[in-house]
Each structure stands twice: as structure tokens, then as C-alpha cells.
């Protein structure tokens, strides 16, 4: 294979500019051969004209001089590589999910250093191609590694248009359309929750949403903290389950509560917060002279997918006057489904709710929101009244300048892509996405329960989010007494299977221990809405895990 | 004009899905007529087949059935509307910078409500077209309203590829390429600052970067705050200039310092922090029994573009053991220029530096970073050691899993677009962008100084960032005694000129008062690197301000 590999040994340009085009030194076909686990790499020092590696192409260099704007050439690359939403690949011809390289190898394949410019746009395009080919195909249904995955095709369209319109979501002046879209979406979500008024914002991810919630809770109880700070205040305490997301701890850190003032409440066998333990903890904190402030209930925990019992937690919050935040970043998507909505029963009693449409619903990253039923609070809590941005003598209603309730200043437009999705699918279409996703998870749980070697982590999956947790017990370990030593051996199985997946590029599923339950490493197979997973996708994933495990 | 206006009175589909295409009811040309300040709007209730408004098109509905993926149709729309980077418009044919509508009018033109799906993709495309046409053309050189503007064309390409690869920047596992790109960029910026080691992260905007700085400063001095919180601690104090960005105040709020523990230090006639006043303030705080902790020096203040004198501030920080943060979100771009680098003299003495390449450099929103010279500190400060994400038994070097130093969990990839830009332009090309931008601002300052009616706010612009601040004094107000009443009248001029700009879509320049200097409303004309402003752009902007003012 001859190839133009000049981007590895870039020639120095004389004038520092990128020339719009140059004659391609050589042209080679689009090689999609994938050599599986083989990682033979020709280091660039020996690369010369031949260049083979792991199915990565050197591209189809155009023979004609290129005059298109560079971004169009990159979009043509997106087409050629069949990146997200362009095509759902046939099973037999789909590219590997990833081409794993160790960091040092990767830096050889894609030279990172910055200083001299590339010699031409062709070379730059080659770098972009390489970057794309060396990235993980999160759009592939075999990517089951995170709580996000592929993108909704209408959401992608909205995201691309947003990129091209490059603006910031702080004033109506510079974001008129997106200001209205955001307001409409926040109102829609509040109505779905069951609130007739309130406020909210699109935040830079669910962790930031949880920070907003804590900030509001603190301000609501102690507005004087905004001026006086936390110094000298009675210690305020945050309650969250041991299985909740780590961002609650990070929020407590930044907000000056400290981890000692975060009470991690125990959970039941399905990973749900135990209200009896919450009540005990609240009473204990009171007895210690500290001040209970904030309870985080999780709807859809990260690992097990548990839904905390909101009604019982809300009762306690009501009794003790505590702020109830519901972290529904993952499991909140069930709100959109008449069938699964019951998992969130009681959510209307919350003071604030966080939900990430970029997770199960398949909105492009990032798309996360927090809503509160307290009108005006978010603004009072966070405002700084910058006179250069939020002038009060404008000629339009400045209540549409929503930026001062944000903790960001410039804020990327994350609402529009969801708005386009919602316009495209309607309530009913979004509901179908969620229902299909949940159905896939239930089918998977049933498969896990019946297949040899697969052992469910939970006694039942009926009330979980779209997470399926299991150990895979290789044949060599089956039928033995399950001593601590046996568990130690099993503990090493999942990381090795994971390595096998990533080296072959055939699947990505997360594994983790769960210290709160003393669970050794197990797999967490999660389902998201785009692309919609089929039964065949599920069975193939489980087959692949068994195949790799038995080949170790 | 006959048009398909079904998106205003959407017909209900029977099955809730978006049909891939449908026959267009009618086809109309691409109308680009712009009727200036005229805002005649046909409300949708009377819209029927005729539909006129303010140069907004009803699109070129395709007669043939559409089979392209929807995102491709949106990209074709980007082409058709000549959105960012596609074309630099000829002066005579460029579309208006914006088509201003009051919020209630806008909601008529682009129906916001969500629930029923659109009837077809054609209808959805129509909505996207309308959204684009009703948005502000931030790519237009006449958009001088914010510290960001158009996008670098290579940056846009990187941003679009990032969108299509939809991933999160927390682990090497799911972001191998982008992890290395981020590390390389952070190291590059640290080297430019003058540090041989350290750490950093791309944050969700400059306000978040400033929050990171405060978190690190607090942890560095008082690591016990991470466990115990701020309760019972001696009050810690933040110092920043009266002209610094409001995000310092917001950071102090979230971090539990309170605004009473933020000392706003006075500035000189150019808006630079006065080190003598800082020293006094530090000593006063000490005498009060509070603990000086953190000094924010701004390099490029938001309104006046002032560069605080870092060396003198660093001396004080060194003497009293204070964390020195440099908020160079706006003015940090001067680091890239040998000619303007002197404005940042002493920056290497900082503990942390924030810089937003999405401002002057023209990287697409958002692209913001913070670096620190303290290796490991960011990680220790923010880590929560989530076992489900940051497993320690992976088969690669887990030091490449950088997500635990972030306060976000999922984090949008903001590094790659800057990496593509840097590869394209090289150090020298980026330097030229900055030099051209500064040159435009200096030319503008000279024009402002010599033109009748324009009055510079500052005695000199020689050491400012690319900001030019001035009052416009209409002829009717010239040559009069400048009483308080006269100033009150002048105060109303800028808002009215701004309204005129926005209604005609001919220009956008920010105005604001500056309470710290008791300045009444004045204009702040700022320059950014994309598109590169020419002398003609500058003179036309100033001409337009005078034209509108004299026509009021």
C-alpha cells in the first residue's frame, strides 16, 4: 500500500500558511480491512511508502485540486467514514468499534506536537481522518460502555446547526431563538414532572446540575451565605445514597460542605436508598447539632440503575424541611413513557430535578438540564448583575436575558438540538424510544438469567433503569466452592474480558466493583435510545462476552 | 409570494413519526430581500398562502422526494444560507446581521410548542431554516457585541467532527485521541506561559475556569476543607479588581466565601488594579483577623480591556503567600504574539491562568482552558475516585484517565477544534491572527480619537486589549456645558443607538455603564480574530453609529 504519509513527517512550510490544496503525492484506496486483535504497527520512522496498521486508512486523496471550504471536506470525510447517523452498517461490514492503541503508540500514529503548521489542507484532512479512525465509534450499537451512546439523527442535525450559528445562551439579544427554545423545553419538562411554574437551565452536564441544586438549597435556607459565606455557620449536611453519583460529593466539596458533611445512606438489595436509614441519619445529624439541609434522591443510579423511593424520601424531607433534589440524569427519561413513568412516582414533590437528555434519549453531548419548582430562586441565588451584559435599559423585555441565573457566563447552546428532536418525534415518538430501550434491557436481563455462565448481580431487574448487571463466570470457575479466593479470581475476569473486547474492537461494556455492596468486578450493560437496540444486538453482546471469556 | 407555511399550522400526523419526505405543497424562491427597519409581520392566524416578513424566506422546498439523511439537509441549508465560514459575503449582498423581533413576535414566526410531531422532514427543515434566519449572524464582521464572534474555519471543521464523534472527555478508553490532544494543548499553553510542568483542563467557559482556580487555591492552603468544609474556618478572602469579571463573585458565592469576603480593589484610569490598594487591602484583611487567600489579576478586563500589572501583584502574593490567579480569558491571546506578549509580563509567576481560545482567537464556542503550575493539585483537589469510571485495574496507564480532576463527569470535547486550528495555522499563523486583531483595535482607537462626536473613554488605548471604549455625542449635545443633566441625556443615547442597530440589522456593538468609574453608558467596540477585521470594517462601524445617532 502506497500512501501519502507526509503528516507524520510534515515538511516545513516557508510562510506558515496552510495552502488551500496541493497535488496529492500518491493516492490509495479506502482500506477497511480489520485485522482483529493484531496490533502490528509500522512506526513512522520506518514507514516510508508502505504503511499498514490495524485497518486504518491513508484516505482517498483527491487528484483534483480542492477548492471546497475545509469544513466541507471534513463533512465529506464524515460521509465516507459513515460516522454517526449516516448509515446503520450491515453487521458483516461494520468497522470495528475501536482500534485500541496504547497512548505512546497513538501518539506515533497521530503526531500531537504543535508549532509548525501542516504543509497543506490535504495533510490537515489526513490528520482529521486519522483522528476519526482512531476514535471510538460511540454511534455503534456495540458501544454499551457509558450512559450515552449514539445520537438521535434529528438531534445531530440540531447540534450541527448550533455549531454553525456559534453563539452563547446568555441574552435574548444574541440568542433570540435559542432563548425561546430553552424556555419552552424547561417549561415542558416542568409540566411533565407535574409543576405549573418554576425555573431551570441547561447546564454543562449532570454534575453541574447537581451543583446548581445544592447552591439553590443553601440559598433558599440561608440567603445570607451569599454575602457572609459559610464561615461560622452551623455545619449543614447533605444526604445521598451510597450508590448515588460521585458528583454529589464533588458538589459538596466545591460548595464548602466537606465530605464529612455528606451522609451516605445505605441502600437495599436493589441499590435503592433506604428511607428508614435516611430518617435515622437525619435524626442523628440533628442530635449532633448539625443542620440537615439537602437530600439527593437518585432516579436511575449509575451502576445498578436503581430508583430511590421518592415518596418516602419526600415525606422525610417534608417533615424536616429539607430540600429534595432528584438526580434523574440517567433515569429521568422514563418520565416520557406512560409505561415506565411509575418508576418516578413522587418526583413532583421534589424541589429540583436534574435530567440529561444526552443519556438515554440520545441527544448529542452535551444536553443536560435542571429544573426547580421555585420561581425566581435560581436567579436570586446566582445573580451578580453584571452591567456590561445585563443592561436594564434595553428595548426589549430583559427578563428574556436569562444568563444571570447561570454560573457560567458564555454558555453553549444545548437546548436547540433537543428542541429539534422533540419537534421531529413528538411526545409519542420520544416515548417509543424510551420504551424500546427499556424493553431491550428487560430482554437482556432475562437472557442473563437463563444463560450458563452469566450470573445476575441483582435478585430482580424489574424496577431498575436500563442497566443489566452481571458476573460472567468462565467454565473453569463454575461448580466450585465460592471462597474468597474464588471471588478474587473472578474479580480478574471482567478486566481481562474488557481488554479482549477493546483489543478486538468488537464490544465495549463497562465493568466495576461496587464497594458499597462488597461486589467484586461485574459487568454493567446499559442501553440507550440511539441506535435502537434489537434482540439480536443483545444476544450478540452476550455471546461476545462468553466467547472472549472462554478464549482467555 | 406563495409559500408552504404548514409549520405554522402544523397538521397532526396519525402515527407520530416523521415521514422522510412528502410532496411540497408549493415552492417559492429564495427571498433575500431585506426591508431594513420595517418590521411588518403577517401574524400566522392571517397567514394563509401569502407570507411576508422582514426578508425571511420560506425556503426552497424540494420537488423531488428527499432521501438524504436529515443532518445532510441541514448542512445543505448551512450552505444555502452561507452560514459561518462558507463565504465571506460581498458588502452589498450580505444578509442583515440580525432580524430583530420581540419575543412574542418571534414565537409567532417560529412556533415553540412541543408535543405533536411535525408532519414531515420538510416541515422540520423549514423550522431549522427559520431558526437560522432568525438568529444573529455572529460570523459577520459587523457583530462586535461580545468577546467572541466568527469562527476560525479550521476550528469549525474540528468542532463539526467532534460533534459527529459524540464522546466524553473523561477516560482514555472512550476518548483516546482527544485525551492526547487536550494534554498536548495544555502542555503547549503552559510552555508559552513559561512553565515546564503543571496541569490543566478544558472547562465549560471562563467562569468555570475561575471556579477551578478558587477551588485549587483553597485546597492548596486548606486541604482539610475537602473533608470538613468551611464551617468554623477563619474567613478566607478573595481579592479582585472592581473592573474584573463578575464570575469571581459567582465563584466566591458557590465556594461559600460570600461576597463580603471578596475585596474589590480599585483601579487606575485605564482600569488596571492598583497594587498599592491591593497591598492596603491585604493588610487590612489581616488586621481584621481574616485570612487573605486568593488574588485574581485580570489580563484583559471585560469592558475596558485593561491588563492588571502582574509583576507588582505577584510581589504582593509572594510576600503574603497568596494564590495568584490570572484571568486571561480575554487578553490571554496576546501570549501568542511576540509583539503583544509584553502585556502579560509576569504571567509565569501565577499559580493558575485561565484563557478562552473561543474569544479573540476565534475557536468555536466553547473552548476555554485553565492551567496551573502545580502538578497533581487539580486532581487531589477535585477527585472522588469513582470506581465505576476510573477503575485502577485497566490494561493501560490510567493516568490518561483525566476525568477525576474535573468537576464535570461527562465533559464535551473542546480541545480538538483548537488542536486542528493550531495544526493548520502553526504558532506563526495564530500570531498573525492576534496581531491583525490588535492592529484593528489600535486603528479604531485612532479613528475614535479624531472623529467628531466620538469621545474616547480612556486617556490612551496603548496598553489595552482589543477593546475600544467611547461615547458618541450627537451633534445636538455638542458644545454644551456637561452638567449632570447633560450626562443623563447622553446616558440615553447609547441604548437608543443600539436599538437602531438591532432594528436595522446593520451592526451590533455592546454598550454599558461602568459604575466603578461612574461612567455613563458608553460603547465598547471589541475586535476578534475571525473574520479578520479590516480598516474598512472599522470605519463602516463608526460611520454607522454616527448615522444612526444623528437620525434618532
Amino acid at each position: 500500500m502506497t500512501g501519502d504519509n507526509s503528516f507524520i513527517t510534515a515538511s516545513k512550510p516557508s510562510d506558515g500558511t496552510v495552502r488551500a490544496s496541493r497535488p496529492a503525492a500518491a493516492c490509495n484506496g479506502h482500506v477497511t480491512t480489520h485485522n482483529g486483535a493484531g496490533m502490528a504497527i509500522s512506526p513512522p520512522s520506518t514507514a516510508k511508502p508502505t504503511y499498514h496498521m490495524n485497518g486504518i486508512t491513508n484516505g482517498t486523496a483527491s487528484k483534483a485540486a480542492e477548492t471546497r471550504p475545509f469544513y466541507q471536506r471534513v463533512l465529506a470525510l464524515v460521509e465516507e467514514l459513515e460516522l454517526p447517523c449516516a448509515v446503520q452498517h450491515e453487521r458483516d461490514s461494520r468497522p470495528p468499534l475501536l482500534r485500541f492503541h496504547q497512548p505512546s503508540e497513538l501518539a506515533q500514529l497521530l503526531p500531537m506536537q504543535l508549532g509548525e503548521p501542516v504543509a497543506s489542507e490535504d495533510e490537515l484532512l489526513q490528520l482529521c481522518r486519522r483522528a476519526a479512525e482512531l476514535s471510538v465509534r460511540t454511534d455503534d450499537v456495540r458501544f454499551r460502555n457509558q450512559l450515552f451512546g449514539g445520537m438521535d439523527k434529528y438531534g445531530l442535525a440540531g447540534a450541527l446547526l448550533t455549531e454553525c450559528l456559534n453563539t452563547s445562551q446568555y441574552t435574548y439579544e444574541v440568542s433570540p431563538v435559542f432563548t425561546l427554545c430553552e424556555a419552552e423545553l424547561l417549561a415542558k419538562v416542568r409540566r411533565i414532572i407535574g409543576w405549573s411554574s418554576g425555573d431551570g437551565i441547561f447546564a454543562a452536564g449532570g454534575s453541574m446540575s447537581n451543583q446548581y441544586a445544592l447552591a439553590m438549597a443553601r440559598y433558599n435556607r440561608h440567603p445570607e451565605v451569599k454575602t457572609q459565606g459559610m464561615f461560622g455557620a452551623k455545619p449543614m449536611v447533605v444526604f445521598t445514597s451510597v450508590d448515588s453519583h460521585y458528583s454529589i460529593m464533588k458538589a459538596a466539596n466545591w460548595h464548602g460542605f466537606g465530605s464529612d458533611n455528606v451522609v451516605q445512606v445505605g441502600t437495599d438489595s436493589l441499590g435503592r436508598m433506604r428511607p428508614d436509614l435516611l430518617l435515622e441519619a437525619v435524626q442523628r445529624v440533628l442530635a449532633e447539632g448539625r443542620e440537615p439541609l439537602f437530600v439527593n434522591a437518585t432516579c436511575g443510579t449509575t451502576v445498578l440503575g436503581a430508583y430511590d423511593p421518592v415518596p418516602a424520601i419526600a415525606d422525610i424531607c417534608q417533615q424536616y424541611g429539607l430540600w429534595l433534589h432528584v438526580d434523574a440524569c440517567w433515569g429521568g427519561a422514563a418520565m416520557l413513557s406512560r409505561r415506565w413513568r411509575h418508576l418516578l412516582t413522587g418526583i413532583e414533590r421534589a424541589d429540583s430535578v436534574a435530567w440529561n437528555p444526552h443519556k438515554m434519549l440520545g441527544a448529542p453531548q452535551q444536553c443536560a438540564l435542571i429544573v426547580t419548582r421555585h420561581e425566581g430562586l435560581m436567579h436570586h441565588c446566582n445573580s451578580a448583575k453584571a452591567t456590561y451584559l445585563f443592561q436594564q435599559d434595553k428595548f426589549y423585555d430583559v427578563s428574556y436575558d436569562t444568563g444571570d441565573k447561570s454560573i457560567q457566563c458564555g454558555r453553549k447552546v444545548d437546548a436547540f438540538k433537543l428542541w429539534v428532536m422533540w419537534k421531529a418525534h413528538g411526545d409519542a415518538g420520544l416515548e417509543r424510544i424510551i420504551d424500546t430501550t427499556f424493553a431491550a434491557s428487560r430482554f437482556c436481563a432475562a437472557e442473563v438469567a437463563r444463560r450458563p455462565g452469566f450470573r445476575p448481580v441483582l435478585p430482580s431487574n424489574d424496577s431498575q433503569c436500563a442497566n443489566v448487571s452481571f458476573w460472567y463466570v468462565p467454565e473453569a470457575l463454575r461448580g466450585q466452592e465460592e471462597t474468597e479466593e474464588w471471588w478474587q479470581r473472578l474479580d480478574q475476569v471482567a478486566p481481562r474480558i474488557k481488554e479482549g473486547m477493546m483489543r478486538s474492537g468488537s464490544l465495549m461494556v463497562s465493568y466495576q466493583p461496587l464497594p458499597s455492596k462488597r461486589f467484586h468486578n461485574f459487568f454493567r450493560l446499559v442501553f440507550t435510545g440511539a441506535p435502537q437496540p434489537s434482540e439480536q444486538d443483545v444476544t450478540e453482546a452476550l455471546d461476545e462476552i462468553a466467547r472472549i471469556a472462554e478464549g482467555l
Side-chain angles (χ1 to χ4, degrees), chain A residues 297-481:
Chain A
T298 310
C299 284
T301 59
T302 313
V303 177
L304 296 177
Y307 282 85
D308 286 348
V310 175
I313 294 170
D315 287 344
I316 296 167
C317 289
Q318 193 173 331
Q319 186 182 349
Y320 290 92
L322 313 182
W323 183 281
L324 174 56
H325 173 61
V326 174
D327 174 354
C329 288
W330 166 231
M335 282 189 286
L336 305 179
S337 161
R338 284 163 292 190
R339 178 154 182 199
W340 299 102
R341 164 81 200 215
H342 67 88
L343 295 170
L344 295 147
T345 296
I347 194 170
E348 71 284 356
R349 296 178 64 188
D351 293 285
S352 55
V353 173
W355 172 44
N356 292 5
H358 73 222
K359 295 193 194 294
M360 195 188 296
L361 200 57
Q365 294 263 14
Q366 60 193 21
C367 190
L369 59 87
I370 173 163
V371 285
T372 173
R373 62 179 166 81
H374 299 273
E375 211 165 338
L377 180 65
M378 184 173 275
H379 184 86
H380 291 302
C381 171
N382 293 325
S383 69
K385 300 186 174 59
T387 51
Y388 81 90
L389 196 56
F390 306 116
Q391 302 90 333
Q392 298 301 300
D393 49 7
K394 291 181 180 177
F395 68 103
Y396 60 83
D397 177 357
V398 295
S399 72
Y400 285 89
D401 287 353
T402 56
D404 207 18
K405 70 187 176 192
S406 172
I407 197 69
Q408 299 176 271
C409 177
R411 184 159 61 93
K412 197 167 171 64
V413 175
D414 293 331
F416 184 67
K417 51 198 161 197
L418 180 60
W419 186 85
V420 173
M421 285 173 64
W422 217 308
K423 281 283 188 186
H425 297 291
D427 295 348
L430 297 182
E431 179 178 43
R432 272 192 300 279
I433 291 171
I434 302 308
D435 285 352
T436 306
T437 308
F438 267 89
S441 75
R442 298 312 189 245
F443 173 74
C444 180
E447 284 292 294
V448 161
R450 73 166 191 81
R451 286 181 175 226
F454 288 83
R455 178 187 295 196
V457 165
L458 300 178
S460 157
N461 222 58
D462 292 347
S463 64
Q464 307 305 107
C465 194
N467 312 44
V468 184
S469 298
F470 55 88
W471 290 280
Y472 184 81
V473 183
E475 275 194 54
L477 286 175
R478 292 179 207 162
Q480 299 178 16
E481 192 187 347

Side-chain angles (χ1 to χ4, degrees), chain A residues 19 62 71 114 155 249 258 274 283 315 332 372 404 456 484 500 513:
Chain A
R19 289 188 291 278
S62 166
Y71 83 92
L114 301 166
M249 197 61 90
R274 281 178 50 186
Q283 290 169 340
D315 287 344
T372 173
D404 207 18
E484 182 54 31

Side-chain angles (χ1 to χ4, degrees), chain A residues 34-41 54 96-103 105 495-508 544 547-548 552:
Chain A
H34 169 231
N35 64 0
M39 286 293 118
I41 290 164
N54 198 20
L97 184 52
L98 77 161
R99 297 170 168 100
F100 182 79
H101 297 88
Q102 296 290 350
E105 297 166 345
R496 292 184 62 204
I497 296 176
K498 178 66 175 280
E499 178 176 355
M501 292 176 187
M502 288 188 63
R503 289 204 183 274
S504 69
S506 60
L507 184 66
M508 282 180 77
E544 178 65 4
R547 188 191 69 76
I548 294 172
L552 288 175

Side-chain angles (χ1 to χ4, degrees), chain A residues 22-34:
Chain A
R22 63 166 183 179
C27 181
N28 63 281
H30 182 188
V31 181
T32 54
T33 312
H34 169 231

Side-chain angles (χ1 to χ4, degrees), chain A residues 1 34 43 45 90 166 202 230 272 280 342 347 399 444 459 479 486 493 497 516:
Chain A
M1 182 166 84
H34 169 231
S45 58
E90 294 296 318
N166 195 46
F202 278 71
M230 309 268 272
R272 301 175 296 197
E280 275 180 37
H342 67 88
I347 194 170
S399 72
C444 180
W486 183 89
V493 168
I497 296 176
S516 68

Side-chain angles (χ1 to χ4, degrees), chain A residues 35 147 162:
Chain A
N35 64 0
L147 301 182
T162 302

